[in-house]
Amino acid sequence: MSKKFLLLCLFFAFSFVFPNPFSVFSEESPQGSPEEIPCRSKVLSVKVFKNGIFAVCEEIPVPRPGKYLLLDPPVPVHGTFFAESTCDVLIRSVLRDRAVPLDQIESMDRIRDFAGKKVRITLAGANGKEECIEAEILSPGSNYSAPGSLFSSRRIPSYSGYGSSYAESAPSPFLMNQGPLLLRQLTGDRKTIMIWNLNKIEKIEFLEKDALDTLVRSRPALLFDVHSGKEEDANDSKEKKIFLTSLSKGISWSPSYRIDISDPKKLSIEQAALIVNEWRDLADTDFELISGYPQILFKNAVSPIDRNTSLANFFSSLSRSSDQDSRISMQQAVMGNAWRPSESNSFADANEISDDSIDTFFQKIGKRSIQKGDRLQISIDKKEIEWNKLVCWNIEDNRDPEGRVVSREEYARNRRESNYGSTFSGTENSVFQQYLEPWDIIRFRNPFDFPISTGPATIMKKDRFLGQTMIYWVNSGEETAVGINKALSIRVSSREEERPQGEGEKKESAASIGYPNAFGSSQSDLSAPILPPGISRDQISANGKEHRILVHGRQYRIAVIDAKLTITNQRSEEISMVIHRRFSGEILPVSEKEKGNRPKDVLCSDSRNGINRRHELTWEVQIGAGKTKEIPFSYQVLIAL
């Protein structure tokens, strides 16, 4: 028996025992590969901020060990994704192909996406004639033999510059990268056709019903590799669960308020919340609305656990997150709960403090169901509280930090622009600039057990609309005021002039220099001029009719300004009025007879850089029907030379 015959017999015997000999050496046989089990998470709760970010808690049941695939994973803010489980689990971020509805498709590839579809294609032919062909679109990797050209000439578009020209040449690299469109005719000799110039396609009609409801796309997914864990855990019959918590984007809420002043003693205020869901369908989910201004440092950075986030995009978003804009626009004020500072709101009591040590408040609104794309409007609470009406008039400082009077054009421009919050930075100025002319306002305390969050407020009197304004952050029990309408029947004027200094004053010693004020007090009753901290009175000198002071190598003259506010009430009833007047410098003492009309003096927290400090004076006065009231005061200012 020859060796060849023996080898042949052994080969057939081995083939009979091992039909597929190469499977023995494979790393993992198909029968032994673990199957990925698709799963969905149940959203237990969402806690919603006003800026479109929300905190979410999701639950995933895992009844037995295995690999579970979550096809709709969260897209978390960097550093906020955490997982807790009652079992031993390893989490991987992967890409998986899945059918995606057409309304969620960003772009289409006419070659790869339509492969295998039976279509009718309309092509632009010569002399405006159209050609139609019914065929099946072949995938780019399909084999074809001797494709027939649909066009008689090889006129392939060659792209250069902004136009296109036709050339008798091979396909350009541009078209080669896209690849030709391969078709197999459905009728006739069923020949295969190659279309190079895709711009000739005018219309594609799908012959099969519902042929293109979805397209296959690679989408991020989370793969949970659940192990049995310890031996005692493996025998535990309780269902295992995985809990995911993170901050994501896609749900927001905004408050609005309706204030009814029909009752002259008690107004009613109602808070409503509008919830916008652009994330996913939510059913029977616990909702909480968050009020406050928490710091979310990486709100613009998506966690790299999301497979759509490349390292380049991640590091770029980190740099954007670190570049914070310090200006607070009106939009940011609404989204971030801007507050009204005490200088601009004299009605806030300094001893009123929050009961919570952290000013972030959560309002529970129960379990809610809301579909993706829907909006949900709900009423949070409605209360009644005592109130009173008054007229508010704010007068801005008309001097720069060096004490010089700004031009009328610049002052008007600052007033006009600051009404929109674009000239002065910070909430304080934007609030103060709101009432540069007399406005009717209502004053009340927050009656709710929670803060009033920054948002629009509509003022009503029964079924009559009186106005709409912005109400800023107000703690529970704190006093606030909101505007109704411009007080057109209240006439006001604010005037000031610099008082001339006499010749005899330059001979007096520095320690006895004083100025008579607007209330007629004698010079001997006044103290010496108020100087900036650290400045010696020996630096005061007389130069003709002016007193000057040298500060850090720069000369300033000391000026006294007499100012007068005039208010005329043309209404048929007495009004209560609050007046805020800002100025640069230091207010001078008032006479004994005017002490009852002495204003409240507050140093502004936004004092500009300069030798003169900014102050705000506040008066609350009563003005009878048809009466006129004058309020004089004087202040000292250092004017740079």
Side-chain angles (χ1 to χ4, degrees):
M1 190 177 293
S2 65
K3 290 184 177 181
K4 291 183 178 180
F5 181 76
L6 288 174
L7 291 174
L8 187 61
C9 292
L10 289 173
F11 175 77
F12 281 112
F14 184 82
S15 301
F16 180 78
V17 177
F18 301 104
N20 185 8
F22 296 100
S23 65
V24 176
F25 304 101
S26 64
E27 182 177 289
E28 186 178 82
S29 63
Q31 291 81 3
S33 59
E35 183 181 356
E36 294 177 353
I37 306 171
C39 65
R40 287 188 62 85
S41 64
K42 178 183 178 182
V43 180
L44 299 180
S45 66
V46 291
K47 298 173 176 59
V48 187
F49 292 95
K50 296 167 64 178
N51 59 358
I53 296 178
F54 64 96
V56 59
C57 178
E58 303 176 67
E59 177 190 78
I60 303 172
V62 285
R64 63 182 183 275
K67 292 189 176 181
Y68 294 84
L69 189 66
L70 180 63
L71 294 176
D72 292 311
V75 182
V77 174
H78 174 53
T80 65
F81 178 78
F82 294 94
E84 299 179 73
S85 64
T86 57
C87 55
D88 186 11
V89 61
L90 181 65
I91 303 176
R92 291 186 177 91
S93 181
V94 296
L95 289 176
R96 291 292 183 267
D97 289 342
R98 55 180 300 191
V100 179
L102 290 184
D103 59 354
Q104 299 179 20
I105 299 295
E106 299 83 7
S107 61
M108 295 185 185
D109 187 324
R110 287 180 292 184
I111 296 176
R112 290 173 174 79
D113 287 337
F114 300 164
K117 306 296 182 183
K118 296 178 181 180
V119 296
R120 179 186 295 111
I121 296 181
T122 303
L123 301 169
N127 301 323
K129 295 183 179 180
E130 294 183 346
E131 299 180 57
C132 292
I133 183 173
E134 293 185 357
E136 177 185 353
I137 299 178
L138 303 179
S139 63
S142 299
N143 294 325
Y144 60 95
S145 59
S149 175
L150 188 66
F151 308 106
S152 58
S153 63
R154 293 285 305 276
R155 296 174 63 85
I156 306 301
S158 174
Y159 294 90
S160 61
Y162 294 98
S164 62
S165 60
Y166 290 89
E168 298 287 340
S169 61
S172 67
F174 175 79
L175 288 178
M176 290 295 290
N177 290 337
Q178 279 197 343
L181 182 62
L182 301 179
L183 304 173
R184 179 178 287 117
Q185 285 183 325
L186 297 177
T187 58
D189 54 4
R190 295 179 59 84
K191 65 181 179 180
T192 302
I193 300 173
M194 176 189 297
I195 301 179
W196 285 100
N197 188 0
L198 301 183
N199 294 326
K200 288 288 185 178
I201 300 176
E202 292 189 348
K203 183 170 60 175
I204 298 179
E205 300 173 86
F206 293 91
L207 300 179
E208 298 173 338
K209 185 180 180 182
D210 300 331
L212 200 65
D213 291 337
T214 61
L215 292 176
V216 175
R217 288 290 186 270
S218 288
R219 288 290 187 261
L222 287 180
L223 185 62
F224 301 95
D225 192 355
V226 178
H227 304 281
S228 59
K230 300 178 182 179
E231 185 176 352
E232 56 270 19
D233 295 335
N235 298 325
D236 190 358
S237 60
K238 292 182 180 179
E239 185 181 46
K240 308 296 190 299
K241 294 181 180 180
I242 301 173
F243 298 93
L244 304 180
T245 58
S246 63
L247 289 184
S248 295
K249 293 184 178 181
I251 306 179
S252 179
W253 82 282
S254 59
S256 58
Y257 301 88
R258 178 187 174 96
I259 302 175
D260 193 317
I261 57 173
S262 303
D263 191 319
K265 294 183 179 180
K266 287 190 175 183
L267 62 77
S268 68
I269 177 171
E270 178 183 6
Q271 185 195 58
L274 176 64
I275 302 172
V276 179
N277 177 22
E278 295 182 352
W279 181 47
R280 57 179 282 189
D281 294 346
L282 298 174
D284 203 25
T285 303
D286 280 322
F287 266 84
E288 289 187 67
L289 308 180
I290 303 177
S291 300
Y293 206 107
Q295 176 175 265
I296 306 176
L297 186 60
F298 298 110
K299 63 183 178 182
N300 296 321
V302 176
S303 172
I305 198 170
D306 177 49
R307 286 296 300 267
N308 284 334
T309 303
S310 65
L311 284 179
N313 291 337
F314 172 65
F315 291 130
S316 175
S317 61
L318 284 183
S319 63
R320 290 197 304 269
S321 296
S322 61
D323 182 20
Q324 299 293 331
D325 188 0
S326 60
R327 293 178 62 87
I328 303 178
S329 65
M330 182 61 69
Q331 180 185 15
Q332 290 170 320
V334 173
M335 294 191 303
N337 298 305
W339 62 284
R340 185 192 295 267
S342 59
E343 295 96 311
S344 300
N345 177 17
S346 63
F347 319 118
D349 298 330
N351 60 352
E352 292 175 347
I353 60 175
S354 171
D355 294 333
D356 201 327
S357 59
I358 299 179
D359 289 333
T360 302
F361 299 86
F362 297 80
Q363 291 176 259
K364 293 184 177 182
I365 60 173
K367 293 183 179 294
R368 303 288 174 173
S369 297
I370 177 171
Q371 303 297 310
K372 179 180 178 180
D374 286 355
R375 277 71 169 149
L376 180 65
Q377 175 89 4
I378 59 174
S379 177
I380 301 298
D381 201 357
K382 186 176 182 179
K383 296 284 187 181
E384 291 186 348
I385 191 69
E386 294 181 353
W387 68 288
N388 63 311
K389 184 177 74 171
L390 62 160
V391 178
C392 180
W393 179 29
N394 294 338
I395 309 151
E396 183 55 282
D397 190 2
N398 62 340
R399 295 180 182 271
D400 64 17
E402 299 298 325
R404 291 170 295 217
V405 177
V406 298
S407 65
R408 179 175 296 180
E409 292 77 12
E410 183 180 0
Y411 180 68
R413 177 175 56 83
N414 288 345
R415 289 183 57 178
R416 182 176 61 255
E417 293 181 354
S418 58
N419 276 325
Y420 296 94
S422 59
T423 299
F424 299 100
S425 62
T427 308
E428 175 182 345
N429 286 290
S430 63
V431 174
F432 184 89
Q433 296 289 332
Q434 192 172 1
Y435 307 120
L436 291 175
E437 297 178 66
W439 276 72
D440 286 314
I441 65 175
I442 55 177
R443 183 167 62 183
F444 61 95
R445 292 186 180 274
N446 177 11
F448 299 121
D449 297 331
F450 50 84
I452 290 178
S453 183
T454 304
T458 302
I459 316 297
M460 303 290 293
K461 189 172 184 179
K462 294 184 178 179
D463 58 346
R464 295 182 178 179
F465 173 83
L466 299 183
Q468 186 191 51
T469 186
M470 176 81 76
I471 187 169
Y472 290 86
W473 179 278
V474 188
N475 290 315
S476 179
E478 185 181 6
E479 195 172 61
T480 189
V482 294
I484 308 177
N485 52 261
K486 188 179 291 187
L488 301 177
S489 57
I490 307 300
R491 297 286 186 260
V492 295
S493 67
S494 174
R495 298 182 180 182
E496 64 176 39
E497 61 181 14
E498 184 176 344
R499 186 184 309 166
Q501 300 177 20
E503 286 286 346
E505 290 180 333
K506 67 180 180 179
K507 300 179 182 178
E508 300 184 45
S509 64
S512 62
I513 293 177
Y515 303 103
N517 60 30
F519 307 115
S521 300
S522 63
Q523 181 177 343
S524 59
D525 295 335
L526 297 175
S527 60
I530 304 172
L531 301 178
I535 304 302
S536 171
R537 297 188 184 278
D538 296 334
Q539 296 174 257
I540 301 177
S541 61
N543 181 12
K545 295 183 179 181
E546 293 182 341
H547 293 281
R548 297 186 178 183
I549 184 171
L550 188 66
V551 181
H552 303 306
R554 187 170 186 177
Q555 274 199 336
Y556 295 82
R557 63 185 182 90
I558 304 176
V560 174
I561 308 299
D562 289 327
K564 182 182 291 186
L565 308 178
T566 304
I567 306 101
T568 301
N569 176 18
Q570 296 182 337
R571 294 179 176 176
S572 58
E573 59 182 8
E574 184 182 64
I575 64 169
S576 298
M577 190 167 188
V578 57
I579 305 169
H580 303 285
R581 171 65 160 93
R582 286 185 175 179
F583 70 94
S584 296
E586 302 294 337
I587 191 169
L588 296 178
V590 299
S591 63
E592 289 294 329
K593 69 176 183 179
E594 292 290 340
K595 281 188 176 180
N597 200 30
R598 178 180 297 171
K600 177 183 177 182
D601 184 10
V602 177
L603 183 66
C604 294
S605 61
D606 70 334
S607 290
R608 299 164 292 181
N609 295 327
I611 193 170
N612 295 295
R613 300 187 300 175
R614 290 190 65 186
H615 292 255
E616 182 176 308
L617 303 178
T618 302
W619 294 268
E620 287 198 47
V621 296
Q622 302 289 326
I623 304 174
K627 301 294 183 180
T628 297
K629 186 173 185 63
E630 294 183 346
I631 303 177
F633 67 97
S634 301
Y635 66 93
Q636 171 194 287
V637 62
L638 303 181
I639 303 175
L641 297 176

